[in-house]
Each structure stands twice: as C-alpha cells, then as structure tokens.
Amino acid sequence: MKTVCRAAAVLALGAASAEAAAASPIGKVLQLMSDLQAKILKEGEATQKVYSEFAELCEDKSRELGFEIKTAKAEVADLKATIEQQEAKSAGLNEKLEKLSGDSASNEAELKAATEVREKEHAAFVATEKELLETVSAIQRAIGVLERELKGGASMLQVQSAKNVVEALSALVQASKISVADATQLTSLLQQRSDVDDGEPGAPAAAAYESKSGGIVDTLQDLQEKAEAQIDDSRKKETTAAHNFE
C-alpha cells in the first residue's frame, strides 16, 4: 500500500515538473523548434514526392525524345537516299532528253530532206502523168482520124499510100485532120519507142516506124497500150511512194 502511494506521488511530481517546464520560456522554444522540425520534414516529404514525379516525367520525355530522334535520323537517312536516287534518275532523264533533242533535230532534218525528195518525186509524177495523158489523147485522136480516112475520107489515098506512121501523120497534117503539135508529139514518141525496142538510135525512118503488127492503126494502138501501161505503172509507184512517206 505504501509502495503505491509512493508511485502516485512520483507521477504527480513528474507531471508537475513537466507542466512547470512547459510553462517556462525554454520549454516554449523547444516546442516551437519541435513543431518547426515536423513541418519542415513534412514539407520535405511533399517536395521529394513532387521531385520524384517530375524526375519520372523527365525520364519518360527523355526516352520519347530519344526514340523520336532515332526515328528522325532514320527518316533523314531514307530521305537522303531517296534524294540521291531521284538526282541520279533526274540526271539519267536529262541525258535521255538531250539525246532525244538531238534525235529530234536529226529527225526533223531527215524529214525535211525526205519531204523535199517526196515533193520532187510527186512533181515529176504529175509532169509525167500529164505528158502521158496528153500522148494517149493525141494517139486516140490520130487513130480516130485514121480509121475514118481509111474508110473513105477525103485524104484516103494519101493515108493508104503511106509506108509508115510518120508519112500517115504528115498526110493527116496536110489535110488539116490533126494538129502539127499532135503529129510532132507522136513522131517523137515513135522515135523514142523505136530506140528502146531496137536499141539502135538513128535507124532509118522507114524501118523505125514500120508497124510490127501489120498496119498504121495497129502501131498507134500499140503505142497507146504502152503509154497507158506507163501511166498505170507510174501511178502505182506514186501511190507506193506516198504511202511509204506517210
């Protein structure tokens, strides 16, 4: 019982001492310092938490930026390779363009030269066709007159007595049955044909113009057929040349 009383007395004394200390100026200072320490520690923990979160965010951003930089470098390398390929392609195309330009100029020169040749060929064809058509027309007129005269025309005796086509044409000219131009044209044609057939230019007239088929009209008809054949052949060649030019 005495022991309990002593303990109670000690506790009461300690409490009284604590109250006395708390009530003293030093105690108040110590309490303030303790409260300040607790506040600083609490603020430090909050600051550490914010710093940790910010550091983690920076690390994430750093990893993202690193990945983006790596990706961008790869893209830059790809773009450089593409640019080099396009530059090489462009150089090749420029070379082809220069070659095509040269070919085009050459082709234009060749086309111009070919056009000039074709124009000359066509002009020659037109002139030849005109001459041959006029020859055929003259032959047809001469044959018509000869056939009428041989059937009893006014100059029948002169025509019938003619030894060759030239003499017959001269008789028709004298009788004003054909023009001098027609007679001259046919005589020239007969001479050319005789030179081609006989291969002896300047052969005697009677032999050169003698009808191979037995008559003056037959000779003229033979000349007409050959002239018409020349016209057909000339037209075929002109058609072929025009087609090839196109």
Side-chain angles (χ1 to χ4, degrees), residues 158-174:
Q158 289 179 307
V159 174
Q160 288 180 340
S161 64
K163 296 178 181 180
N164 50 56
V165 178
V166 174
E167 291 184 4
L169 293 174
S170 297
L172 293 175
V173 171
Q174 291 175 3

Side-chain angles (χ1 to χ4, degrees), residues 3-14:
T3 302
V4 173
C5 289
R6 287 195 195 98
V10 171
L11 289 173
L13 181 61

Side-chain angles (χ1 to χ4, degrees), residues 52-72:
S52 298
E53 291 177 352
F54 180 74
E56 185 177 357
L57 178 63
C58 289
E59 290 177 359
D60 293 341
K61 288 293 184 181
S62 177
R63 282 192 297 269
E64 290 177 2
L65 287 174
F67 178 76
E68 290 176 359
I69 291 171
K70 184 178 179 180
T71 302

Side-chain angles (χ1 to χ4, degrees), residues 74-92:
E75 291 178 352
V76 168
D78 291 341
L79 290 173
K80 285 183 178 179
T82 301
I83 290 171
E84 291 176 356
Q85 291 176 355
Q86 294 300 322
E87 287 178 347
K89 185 176 180 180
S90 177

Side-chain angles (χ1 to χ4, degrees), residues 121-132:
E121 290 176 347
H122 180 68
F125 160 74
V126 171
T128 300
E129 183 185 46
K130 180 182 178 182
E131 182 180 354
L132 289 172

Side-chain angles (χ1 to χ4, degrees), residues 41 67 189 221 234 238:
L41 291 174
F67 178 76
L189 179 62
Q221 288 176 340
S234 180
E238 170 64 14

Side-chain angles (χ1 to χ4, degrees), residues 57-152:
L57 178 63
C58 289
E59 290 177 359
D60 293 341
K61 288 293 184 181
S62 177
R63 282 192 297 269
E64 290 177 2
L65 287 174
F67 178 76
E68 290 176 359
I69 291 171
K70 184 178 179 180
T71 302
K73 287 181 178 180
E75 291 178 352
V76 168
D78 291 341
L79 290 173
K80 285 183 178 179
T82 301
I83 290 171
E84 291 176 356
Q85 291 176 355
Q86 294 300 322
E87 287 178 347
K89 185 176 180 180
S90 177
L93 291 175
N94 287 333
E95 183 178 354
K96 288 183 179 179
L97 182 60
E98 291 177 359
K99 184 176 182 301
L100 289 174
S101 297
D103 292 343
S104 177
S106 177
N107 290 336
E108 288 179 0
E110 292 178 359
L111 178 60
K112 182 179 180 180
T115 300
E116 292 176 355
V117 172
R118 176 85 277 275
E119 289 175 350
K120 291 179 180 179
E121 290 176 347
H122 180 68
F125 160 74
V126 171
T128 300
E129 183 185 46
K130 180 182 178 182
E131 182 180 354
L132 289 172
L133 289 174
E134 290 175 351
T135 298
V136 170
S137 179
I139 293 173
Q140 290 173 341
R141 288 194 296 271
I143 290 174
V145 172
L146 283 169
E147 288 177 341
R148 287 196 300 273
E149 294 302 318
L150 291 173
K151 289 179 181 179

